Amino acid sequence: MKYKSVFDIIGPVMIGPSSSHTAGAARIGRVARSLFGREPKWVNISLYGSFAKTYRGHGTDVALIGGLLDFDTDDPRIIKAIDLAEAKGIKLRFIEEDAVTDHPNTARVIIGDDKGELELVGISIGGGKIEITELNGFELKLSGHHPAILVVHNDRFGAIANVANVLASHQVNIGHMEVSRKEKGKMALMTIEVDHNIGQDILDEIEKLPNILKVTKIVD
């Protein structure tokens, strides 16, 4: 693994005890909250590997819920996140899974309300770093450490180029981009990490393009 700064080695500023089990978990929860766009009414979290075995002792449960409440990794409210969520009437469920996953620190987060739901799989890879590997059935690779836009679109010729052209016209540099589709010619998902946060006007312009169904952003 290559490190960009000393903080990649010692980990982020956080509520402990573990950068992998606590800070990483909080970031997984917060990405789910950002993509959902609002506070959920119910939460089902499946935990795998070491997450399943140690989540209570290492604070993975409170960290995930803290992230879903939009708390950052160093927010002292994380400690009481479960109590705070239950006080808001949010229904919480944790499931300890036996299945073997590719990474030991894996969580499947399903959240929702009366308007819709979202399903996300995230892994904590160490030092507070995470990767989102699945979103609503689409495979992807999203770090959660850079501003990003997710574009749901019909799998048609020119859709990707049109989005890239809009970003280029606004001098937005793409750091990483992936496209995932469940079936050829059906629905697909663009995951685009960019160098800086972009405004709603650019998102609106992308959403008006042919074959674009929905545009969501994650703010750094």
Side-chain angles (χ1 to χ4, degrees):
M1 178 183 290
K2 294 182 179 180
Y3 299 101
K4 295 182 179 180
S5 76
V6 67
F7 294 105
D8 291 337
I9 302 172
I10 64 174
V13 177
M14 65 177 189
I15 301 297
S18 167
S19 60
S20 294
H21 288 242
T22 313
R27 283 177 169 160
I28 291 171
R30 203 173 189 203
V31 169
R33 165 64 181 264
S34 177
L35 291 172
F36 193 57
R38 56 194 182 274
E39 193 169 270
K41 296 298 184 183
W42 54 265
V43 176
N44 293 330
I45 299 177
S46 294
L47 300 160
Y48 300 83
S50 62
F51 266 8
K53 295 175 182 177
T54 65
Y55 71 96
R56 290 191 180 93
H58 283 177
T60 305
D61 49 356
V62 294
L64 283 162
I65 300 306
L68 288 170
L69 293 177
D70 206 25
F71 300 162
D72 206 347
T73 56
D74 61 348
D75 194 317
R77 292 176 294 175
I78 283 179
I79 297 171
K80 296 184 178 296
I82 288 179
D83 293 337
L84 293 171
E86 290 177 342
K88 291 172 174 282
I90 301 174
K91 297 180 180 179
L92 308 178
R93 184 186 179 204
F94 292 93
I95 306 163
E96 300 172 23
E97 300 283 3
D98 295 326
V100 177
T101 55
D102 292 337
H103 194 281
N105 300 331
T106 299
R108 181 178 297 273
V109 179
I110 306 175
I111 58 178
D113 58 15
D114 55 356
K115 296 181 181 179
E117 64 180 68
L118 175 143
E119 181 175 357
L120 172 152
V121 176
I123 60 175
S124 179
I125 60 177
K129 291 182 174 295
I130 67 167
E131 286 183 3
I132 305 304
T133 60
E134 186 179 320
L135 176 64
N136 291 339
F138 288 103
E139 294 182 359
L140 72 159
K141 185 177 181 181
L142 179 67
S143 73
H145 289 271
H146 303 284
I149 58 173
L150 280 75
V151 183
V152 180
H153 62 99
N154 292 318
D155 183 28
R156 299 288 189 275
F157 177 82
I160 298 170
N162 288 340
V163 172
N165 287 337
V166 169
L167 294 177
S169 71
H170 291 277
Q171 299 184 335
V172 176
N173 192 46
I174 297 173
H176 178 80
M177 180 177 181
E178 287 191 359
V179 180
S180 174
R181 60 185 183 182
K182 299 177 184 178
E183 187 179 346
K184 182 179 178 181
K186 301 294 183 179
M187 194 179 295
L189 173 69
M190 283 183 243
T191 306
I192 307 171
E193 291 189 342
V194 295
D195 287 349
H196 55 81
N197 293 321
I198 60 177
Q200 186 61 43
D201 57 329
I202 300 177
L203 301 183
D204 292 342
E205 186 175 343
I206 292 173
E207 201 158 39
K208 292 176 182 177
L209 293 171
N211 294 307
I212 302 303
L213 305 176
K214 183 179 181 180
V215 182
T216 307
K217 71 175 179 178
I218 298 176
V219 179
D220 186 20

